[in-house]
Amino acid sequence: MQYPEPIAKLIDSYMKLPGIGNKTATRLAFYTVDMNKEDVKEFSQALIATKNDLHYCSICGNLTDEDPCEICRDKTRDQTKILVVEQPKDIMVMEKVQEYHGLYHVLHGVLSPIEGKGPEDLNISSLIKRLQKNDKVKEVIVATNATPEGEATAMYLSKLIKPAGIRVTRLAHGLSVGTDIEYADEMTLYKAVQGRTEM
């Protein structure tokens, strides 16, 4: 038996989201059918507003509804540090920690020859221009993920930036709090040893 066309289209739409398969999409579609009309209207307006009202900050590449974004406009932030992340959502995670008070730069991905992503496909040239224009920046903290692509991107950025006399650092990687050493993989243990700190 076929679903009525509106439900079939809704299921197809939900399946376009990452990690949503047919079963989950079907469940979400029927949940949506059971929602009251006002909630569905609010939900659809939020989706449309997200596409219409958000854009990337012209300075750092973060998602924003104003340009420049709130972080780039905040003169109380440490102007001597730029933390480089892969995606805008990484900024949100860092901000929740409330431990970093510098500036950000979003690459919108990582170098990945397999996926055909080279330096020209990332937000790297604007980072270099930003560093050339701003002599206040003394340190670039690379916070790409600890994947082969993230590591390659970090090394590439380091080779580009270090000749300008700017310190390039990498977020520490290693054992997470509460992890037993016996369950950690070799790469995690290697990173933990490399990133050890004095007590």
Side-chain angles (χ1 to χ4, degrees), residues 7-18:
I7 291 179
K9 282 184 176 179
L10 189 55
I11 291 169
D12 287 343
S13 294
Y14 277 125
M15 284 178 58
K16 291 176 183 171
L17 296 172

Side-chain angles (χ1 to χ4, degrees), residues 48-85:
I48 292 166
T50 299
K51 287 309 285 179
N52 290 341
D53 300 343
L54 289 179
H55 52 274
Y56 294 120
C57 174
S58 60
I59 297 172
C60 72
N62 190 15
L63 269 177
T64 183
D65 56 351
E66 295 180 51
D67 194 21
C69 71
E70 183 181 347
I71 294 171
C72 288
R73 287 193 321 266
D74 186 352
K75 298 301 176 202
T76 65
R77 296 190 77 99
D78 185 349
Q79 306 289 309
T80 66
K81 293 180 178 72
I82 296 178
L83 191 135
V84 178
V85 296

Side-chain angles (χ1 to χ4, degrees), residues 149-170:
E149 296 82 5
E151 294 293 330
T153 305
M155 290 302 297
Y156 180 80
L157 290 174
S158 178
K159 287 178 182 173
L160 272 183
I161 297 166
K162 272 188 175 180
I166 298 169
R167 182 176 180 219
V168 181
T169 58
R170 184 99 167 93

Side-chain angles (χ1 to χ4, degrees), residues 95-109:
E95 286 295 289
K96 281 183 186 173
V97 177
Q98 297 182 348
E99 200 53 43
Y100 176 74
H101 305 288
L103 302 173
Y104 292 96
H105 194 85
V106 183
L107 296 175
H108 299 288

Side-chain angles (χ1 to χ4, degrees), residues 17-198:
L17 296 172
I20 304 288
N22 195 354
K23 275 186 178 180
T24 303
T26 302
R27 204 172 310 125
L28 289 170
F30 279 99
Y31 179 82
T32 306
V33 168
D34 291 338
M35 289 170 66
N36 71 49
K37 226 175 193 170
E38 195 55 42
D39 287 344
V40 172
K41 185 178 178 184
E42 209 174 284
F43 182 63
S44 65
Q45 287 172 342
L47 287 172
I48 292 166
T50 299
K51 287 309 285 179
N52 290 341
D53 300 343
L54 289 179
H55 52 274
Y56 294 120
C57 174
S58 60
I59 297 172
C60 72
N62 190 15
L63 269 177
T64 183
D65 56 351
E66 295 180 51
D67 194 21
C69 71
E70 183 181 347
I71 294 171
C72 288
R73 287 193 321 266
D74 186 352
K75 298 301 176 202
T76 65
R77 296 190 77 99
D78 185 349
Q79 306 289 309
T80 66
K81 293 180 178 72
I82 296 178
L83 191 135
V84 178
V85 296
E86 291 181 20
Q87 300 295 340
K89 64 184 176 184
D90 300 328
I91 292 178
M92 307 305 171
V93 172
M94 290 300 297
E95 286 295 289
K96 281 183 186 173
V97 177
Q98 297 182 348
E99 200 53 43
Y100 176 74
H101 305 288
L103 302 173
Y104 292 96
H105 194 85
V106 183
L107 296 175
H108 299 288
V110 286
L111 296 173
S112 178
I114 293 171
E115 293 176 15
K117 270 197 168 183
E120 64 283 349
D121 300 310
L122 304 179
N123 194 22
I124 293 174
S125 62
S126 67
L127 172 62
I128 302 307
K129 287 176 190 163
R130 189 175 174 192
L131 293 171
Q132 290 168 343
K133 286 181 188 175
N134 185 352
D135 60 354
K136 290 180 190 171
V137 178
K138 303 296 179 213
E139 180 180 6
V140 172
I141 306 163
V142 182
T144 53
N145 292 326
T147 61
E149 296 82 5
E151 294 293 330
T153 305
M155 290 302 297
Y156 180 80
L157 290 174
S158 178
K159 287 178 182 173
L160 272 183
I161 297 166
K162 272 188 175 180
I166 298 169
R167 182 176 180 219
V168 181
T169 58
R170 184 99 167 93
L171 282 187
H173 297 291
L175 297 173
S176 53
V177 176
T179 300
D180 290 337
I181 290 176
E182 65 181 298
Y183 300 118
D185 63 87
E186 289 175 21
M187 183 55 106
T188 301
L189 286 173
Y190 173 78
K191 290 290 187 183
V193 170
Q194 294 297 311
R196 69 191 182 279
T197 56
E198 200 162 324

